């Protein structure tokens, strides 16, 4: 009995300590979020919250519903527009706005705030960052973090998200990054296009005209050619998924047959997939659907 009582007391103490820790975290989060409202304390708060955002379970709703916080984050974004052209963005300015974007990614990811995030058209504030061509580190980091926000939206299969994105210029912006970005930003941009294509509405939109089919197919082919010199199994996986989904549409399949890269039928090139059985399977399905022999 004494041992059981001691165990119960220990469990009660542990629960009490956990509750106290959770309360302290919540108070810390609320204090930091409040600090975002003051321009004098905002920069440090952005850095601190972005580092700890995974520890704060309810961060997204608190950010969205706290007075003045979302306007403050948008102010951080808009303030660097003048630095985009001509390109004069510094590492410090890039890091600061990327911390703000990291918080917006939390809002975009959360089921309780995602719809409101879209209804407010917040993603449109990020598009100028995706429209840049500079390959310097500050611009590349900005591009990648912006893509992360869009990627958070499309991770959940939601036709409303796809409809919103298709009403904007997200596909041309992703195609630009797929041509000019680093391997990592190309991978995220290709993932976004893949998720759009995986939705019936997204596939129908992309394949509505031969011009759209060719634009996507041309960029995918260009990336495959680049991978012949700098292989990336991670990026190739998303490229194959895009091709496979496009091949489900008769118009797109016909377009792909005219611009399909020879490398994807070259065993020496596809050897990069030897450890990725799933992508090997998708590539085999793709070749069959396009009428090529395995």
């Amino acid at each position: 009995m004494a041992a059981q009582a001691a165990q119960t007391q220990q469990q009660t103490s542990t629960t009490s300590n956990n509750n106290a820790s959770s309360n302290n975290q919540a108070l810390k989060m609320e204090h930091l979020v409040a600090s975002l409202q003051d321009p004098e304390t905002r920069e440090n708060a952005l850095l601190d919250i972005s580092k700890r955002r995974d520890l704060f379970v309810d961060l997204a709703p608190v950010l969205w519903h706290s007075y003045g916080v979302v306007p403050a984050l948008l102010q951080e974004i808009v303030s660097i527009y003048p630095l985009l052209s001509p390109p004069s963005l510094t590492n410090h300015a890039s890091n600061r706005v990327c911390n703000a974007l990291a918080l917006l990614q939390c809002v975009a990811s959360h089921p309780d705030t995602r719809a409101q995030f879209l209804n407010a058209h917040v993603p449109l504030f990020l598009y100028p960052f995706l429209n840049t061509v500079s390959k310097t580190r500050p611009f590349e980091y900005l591009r990648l973090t912006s893509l992360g926000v869009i990627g958070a939206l499309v991770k959940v299969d939601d036709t409303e998200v796809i409809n919103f994105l298709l009403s904007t210029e997200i596909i041309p912006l992703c195609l630009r990054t797929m041509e000019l970005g680093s391997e990592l930003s190309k991978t995220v941009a290709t993932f976004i296009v893949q998720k759009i294509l995986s939705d019936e509405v997204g596939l129908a939109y992309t394949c509505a005209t031969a011009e759209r089919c060719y634009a996507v197919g041309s960029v995918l082919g260009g990336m495959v050619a680049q991978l012949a010199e700098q292989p990336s199994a991670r990026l190739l996986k998303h490229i194959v998924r895009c091709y496979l989904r496009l091949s489900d549409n008769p118009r797109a399949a016909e377009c792909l047959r005219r611009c399909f890269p020879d490398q994807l039928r070259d065993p020496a090139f596809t050897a990069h997939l030897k450890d990725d059985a799933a992508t090997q399977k998708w590539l085999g399905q793709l070749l069959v659907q396009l009428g090529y022999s395995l």
Side-chain angles (χ1 to χ4, degrees), residues 9 13 40 55 72 77 86 95 98 106 112 114 131 136 152-153 169 178 180-181 186 206 239 255 257:
Q9 184 177 4
S13 176
E40 297 296 323
L55 301 177
I77 289 172
N95 289 337
C98 284
C106 289
D112 293 342
R114 184 184 301 113
N131 205 29
T136 61
L153 288 173
E169 54 183 312
M178 289 158 67
L180 301 174
K186 284 180 179 180
T206 306
I239 292 173
C255 177
R257 291 186 186 97

mmCIF file of all heavy atoms in Angstrom, residues 9 13 40 55 72 77 86 95 98 106 112 114 131 136 152-153 169 178 180-181 186 206 239 255 257:
data_model
loop_
_atom_site.group_PDB
_atom_site.id
_atom_site.type_symbol
_atom_site.label_atom_id
_atom_site.label_comp_id
_atom_site.label_asym_id
_atom_site.label_seq_id
_atom_site.Cartn_x
_atom_site.Cartn_y
_atom_site.Cartn_z
ATOM 1 N N GLN A 9 1.639 9.450 -5.628
ATOM 2 C CA GLN A 9 2.148 10.781 -5.300
ATOM 3 C C GLN A 9 3.140 11.260 -6.349
ATOM 4 O O GLN A 9 3.146 12.424 -6.753
ATOM 5 C CB GLN A 9 2.802 10.757 -3.921
ATOM 6 C CG GLN A 9 3.290 12.141 -3.448
ATOM 7 C CD GLN A 9 3.878 12.088 -2.047
ATOM 8 O OE1 GLN A 9 3.991 11.015 -1.455
ATOM 9 N NE2 GLN A 9 4.245 13.242 -1.518
ATOM 10 N N SER A 13 2.789 14.436 -8.795
ATOM 11 C CA SER A 13 3.838 15.457 -8.842
ATOM 12 C C SER A 13 4.304 15.695 -10.270
ATOM 13 O O SER A 13 4.516 16.834 -10.693
ATOM 14 C CB SER A 13 5.019 15.008 -7.969
ATOM 15 O OG SER A 13 6.086 15.934 -8.074
ATOM 16 N N GLU A 40 10.172 48.323 -31.426
ATOM 17 C CA GLU A 40 11.442 48.297 -30.702
ATOM 18 C C GLU A 40 11.827 46.883 -30.268
ATOM 19 O O GLU A 40 13.018 46.575 -30.148
ATOM 20 C CB GLU A 40 11.359 49.214 -29.475
ATOM 21 C CG GLU A 40 11.150 50.681 -29.805
ATOM 22 C CD GLU A 40 12.335 51.264 -30.572
ATOM 23 O OE1 GLU A 40 13.482 50.876 -30.267
ATOM 24 O OE2 GLU A 40 12.094 52.081 -31.486
ATOM 25 N N LEU A 55 7.621 24.473 -30.096
ATOM 26 C CA LEU A 55 7.298 24.218 -28.691
ATOM 27 C C LEU A 55 5.938 24.790 -28.312
ATOM 28 O O LEU A 55 5.357 24.392 -27.302
ATOM 29 C CB LEU A 55 8.378 24.830 -27.782
ATOM 30 C CG LEU A 55 9.809 24.334 -27.969
ATOM 31 C CD1 LEU A 55 10.758 25.099 -27.051
ATOM 32 C CD2 LEU A 55 9.905 22.838 -27.693
ATOM 33 N N ALA A 72 1.694 43.504 -38.237
ATOM 34 C CA ALA A 72 3.122 43.716 -37.964
ATOM 35 C C ALA A 72 3.981 42.791 -38.827
ATOM 36 O O ALA A 72 5.021 43.206 -39.363
ATOM 37 C CB ALA A 72 3.409 43.473 -36.481
ATOM 38 N N ILE A 77 7.264 42.270 -44.126
ATOM 39 C CA ILE A 77 7.382 41.800 -45.508
ATOM 40 C C ILE A 77 7.425 42.977 -46.477
ATOM 41 O O ILE A 77 8.323 43.081 -47.328
ATOM 42 C CB ILE A 77 6.203 40.864 -45.841
ATOM 43 C CG1 ILE A 77 6.363 39.544 -45.084
ATOM 44 C CG2 ILE A 77 6.103 40.611 -47.338
ATOM 45 C CD1 ILE A 77 5.161 38.629 -45.179
ATOM 46 N N PRO A 86 16.428 47.652 -57.665
ATOM 47 C CA PRO A 86 17.560 46.751 -57.939
ATOM 48 C C PRO A 86 17.916 45.942 -56.701
ATOM 49 O O PRO A 86 17.700 46.410 -55.579
ATOM 50 C CB PRO A 86 18.684 47.718 -58.326
ATOM 51 C CG PRO A 86 18.332 49.004 -57.647
ATOM 52 C CD PRO A 86 16.837 49.073 -57.659
ATOM 53 N N ASN A 95 17.260 37.659 -43.185
ATOM 54 C CA ASN A 95 17.021 36.807 -42.020
ATOM 55 C C ASN A 95 15.821 37.300 -41.213
ATOM 56 O O ASN A 95 15.000 36.517 -40.737
ATOM 57 C CB ASN A 95 18.257 36.768 -41.119
ATOM 58 C CG ASN A 95 19.399 35.986 -41.740
ATOM 59 O OD1 ASN A 95 19.181 35.141 -42.598
ATOM 60 N ND2 ASN A 95 20.613 36.272 -41.314
ATOM 61 N N CYS A 98 12.600 36.571 -43.046
ATOM 62 C CA CYS A 98 12.373 35.120 -43.074
ATOM 63 C C CYS A 98 11.850 34.617 -41.728
ATOM 64 O O CYS A 98 11.082 33.649 -41.682
ATOM 65 C CB CYS A 98 13.651 34.387 -43.466
ATOM 66 S SG CYS A 98 14.012 34.492 -45.239
ATOM 67 N N CYS A 106 3.495 28.919 -39.843
ATOM 68 C CA CYS A 106 2.743 28.277 -38.765
ATOM 69 C C CYS A 106 1.245 28.496 -38.955
ATOM 70 O O CYS A 106 0.436 27.575 -38.790
ATOM 71 C CB CYS A 106 3.160 28.853 -37.408
ATOM 72 S SG CYS A 106 4.790 28.387 -36.859
ATOM 73 N N ASP A 112 -6.987 25.515 -37.890
ATOM 74 C CA ASP A 112 -7.913 26.536 -37.397
ATOM 75 C C ASP A 112 -7.677 27.910 -38.009
ATOM 76 O O ASP A 112 -8.508 28.807 -37.838
ATOM 77 C CB ASP A 112 -7.812 26.647 -35.867
ATOM 78 C CG ASP A 112 -8.309 25.395 -35.165
ATOM 79 O OD1 ASP A 112 -9.028 24.610 -35.818
ATOM 80 O OD2 ASP A 112 -7.967 25.200 -33.986
ATOM 81 N N ARG A 114 -5.891 28.199 -41.333
ATOM 82 C CA ARG A 114 -5.551 28.101 -42.760
ATOM 83 C C ARG A 114 -6.571 28.818 -43.638
ATOM 84 O O ARG A 114 -6.199 29.594 -44.535
ATOM 85 C CB ARG A 114 -5.441 26.630 -43.171
ATOM 86 C CG ARG A 114 -4.996 26.440 -44.628
ATOM 87 C CD ARG A 114 -5.001 24.975 -45.036
ATOM 88 N NE ARG A 114 -4.136 24.193 -44.195
ATOM 89 C CZ ARG A 114 -4.567 23.261 -43.337
ATOM 90 N NH1 ARG A 114 -5.856 23.009 -43.226
ATOM 91 N NH2 ARG A 114 -3.714 22.585 -42.618
ATOM 92 N N ASN A 131 9.311 36.301 -57.436
ATOM 93 C CA ASN A 131 9.477 36.888 -58.772
ATOM 94 C C ASN A 131 10.879 37.443 -58.977
ATOM 95 O O ASN A 131 11.160 38.059 -59.999
ATOM 96 C CB ASN A 131 8.439 37.995 -58.978
ATOM 97 C CG ASN A 131 8.132 38.229 -60.440
ATOM 98 O OD1 ASN A 131 8.226 37.325 -61.256
ATOM 99 N ND2 ASN A 131 7.789 39.450 -60.790
ATOM 100 N N THR A 136 21.860 35.302 -55.162
ATOM 101 C CA THR A 136 22.655 35.494 -53.950
ATOM 102 C C THR A 136 21.956 34.860 -52.755
ATOM 103 O O THR A 136 20.740 34.630 -52.776
ATOM 104 C CB THR A 136 22.892 36.986 -53.677
ATOM 105 O OG1 THR A 136 21.621 37.625 -53.478
ATOM 106 C CG2 THR A 136 23.617 37.641 -54.845
ATOM 107 N N ALA A 152 3.352 24.659 -47.128
ATOM 108 C CA ALA A 152 2.542 24.300 -45.961
ATOM 109 C C ALA A 152 1.060 24.277 -46.309
ATOM 110 O O ALA A 152 0.298 23.462 -45.783
ATOM 111 C CB ALA A 152 2.804 25.286 -44.822
ATOM 112 N N LEU A 153 0.637 25.158 -47.213
ATOM 113 C CA LEU A 153 -0.761 25.200 -47.633
ATOM 114 C C LEU A 153 -1.148 23.963 -48.436
ATOM 115 O O LEU A 153 -2.234 23.404 -48.254
ATOM 116 C CB LEU A 153 -1.031 26.451 -48.473
ATOM 117 C CG LEU A 153 -1.063 27.793 -47.744
ATOM 118 C CD1 LEU A 153 -1.158 28.936 -48.752
ATOM 119 C CD2 LEU A 153 -2.241 27.858 -46.772
ATOM 120 N N GLU A 169 -0.900 33.730 -59.652
ATOM 121 C CA GLU A 169 0.145 33.364 -60.620
ATOM 122 C C GLU A 169 1.150 32.384 -60.030
ATOM 123 O O GLU A 169 2.329 32.384 -60.394
ATOM 124 C CB GLU A 169 0.867 34.624 -61.102
ATOM 125 C CG GLU A 169 1.431 35.485 -59.961
ATOM 126 C CD GLU A 169 2.070 36.763 -60.452
ATOM 127 O OE1 GLU A 169 2.865 36.719 -61.396
ATOM 128 O OE2 GLU A 169 1.770 37.810 -59.862
ATOM 129 N N MET A 178 11.851 26.834 -60.420
ATOM 130 C CA MET A 178 12.330 25.537 -60.891
ATOM 131 C C MET A 178 13.429 25.698 -61.935
ATOM 132 O O MET A 178 14.273 24.815 -62.109
ATOM 133 C CB MET A 178 11.161 24.735 -61.467
ATOM 134 C CG MET A 178 10.201 24.244 -60.379
ATOM 135 S SD MET A 178 8.524 23.859 -60.974
ATOM 136 C CE MET A 178 8.823 22.436 -62.019
ATOM 137 N N LEU A 180 15.528 28.644 -61.994
ATOM 138 C CA LEU A 180 16.624 29.500 -61.535
ATOM 139 C C LEU A 180 17.109 29.222 -60.121
ATOM 140 O O LEU A 180 18.188 29.677 -59.746
ATOM 141 C CB LEU A 180 16.191 30.982 -61.617
ATOM 142 C CG LEU A 180 15.781 31.496 -62.995
ATOM 143 C CD1 LEU A 180 15.249 32.924 -62.876
ATOM 144 C CD2 LEU A 180 16.950 31.440 -63.958
ATOM 145 N N GLY A 181 16.328 28.523 -59.310
ATOM 146 C CA GLY A 181 16.644 28.405 -57.895
ATOM 147 C C GLY A 181 17.730 27.400 -57.588
ATOM 148 O O GLY A 181 18.262 26.707 -58.462
ATOM 149 N N LYS A 186 14.257 24.571 -55.793
ATOM 150 C CA LYS A 186 13.663 23.853 -56.929
ATOM 151 C C LYS A 186 12.813 22.680 -56.434
ATOM 152 O O LYS A 186 11.726 22.416 -56.960
ATOM 153 C CB LYS A 186 14.757 23.314 -57.855
ATOM 154 C CG LYS A 186 15.421 24.354 -58.740
ATOM 155 C CD LYS A 186 16.477 23.690 -59.603
ATOM 156 C CE LYS A 186 17.145 24.695 -60.526
ATOM 157 N NZ LYS A 186 18.173 24.078 -61.382
ATOM 158 N N THR A 206 -4.051 23.026 -65.581
ATOM 159 C CA THR A 206 -2.734 22.977 -66.225
ATOM 160 C C THR A 206 -2.820 22.426 -67.636
ATOM 161 O O THR A 206 -2.048 22.830 -68.518
ATOM 162 C CB THR A 206 -1.773 22.117 -65.381
ATOM 163 O OG1 THR A 206 -1.756 22.612 -64.028
ATOM 164 C CG2 THR A 206 -0.360 22.163 -65.947
ATOM 165 N N ILE A 239 9.996 15.428 -59.808
ATOM 166 C CA ILE A 239 9.866 15.613 -61.255
ATOM 167 C C ILE A 239 9.099 14.432 -61.868
ATOM 168 O O ILE A 239 8.180 14.623 -62.675
ATOM 169 C CB ILE A 239 11.263 15.754 -61.906
ATOM 170 C CG1 ILE A 239 11.923 17.057 -61.468
ATOM 171 C CG2 ILE A 239 11.154 15.686 -63.432
ATOM 172 C CD1 ILE A 239 13.376 17.199 -61.918
ATOM 173 N N CYS A 255 1.604 15.999 -75.458
ATOM 174 C CA CYS A 255 2.643 17.037 -75.391
ATOM 175 C C CYS A 255 3.946 16.466 -74.851
ATOM 176 O O CYS A 255 5.024 16.753 -75.370
ATOM 177 C CB CYS A 255 2.141 18.189 -74.511
ATOM 178 S SG CYS A 255 3.342 19.519 -74.259
ATOM 179 N N ARG A 257 5.076 13.457 -75.032
ATOM 180 C CA ARG A 257 5.740 12.571 -75.993
ATOM 181 C C ARG A 257 6.649 13.366 -76.936
ATOM 182 O O ARG A 257 7.626 12.827 -77.464
ATOM 183 C CB ARG A 257 4.700 11.781 -76.794
ATOM 184 C CG ARG A 257 3.942 10.743 -75.979
ATOM 185 C CD ARG A 257 3.030 9.884 -76.837
ATOM 186 N NE ARG A 257 2.203 9.000 -76.007
ATOM 187 C CZ ARG A 257 0.956 9.261 -75.640
ATOM 188 N NH1 ARG A 257 0.362 10.376 -76.077
ATOM 189 N NH2 ARG A 257 0.294 8.428 -74.868
#
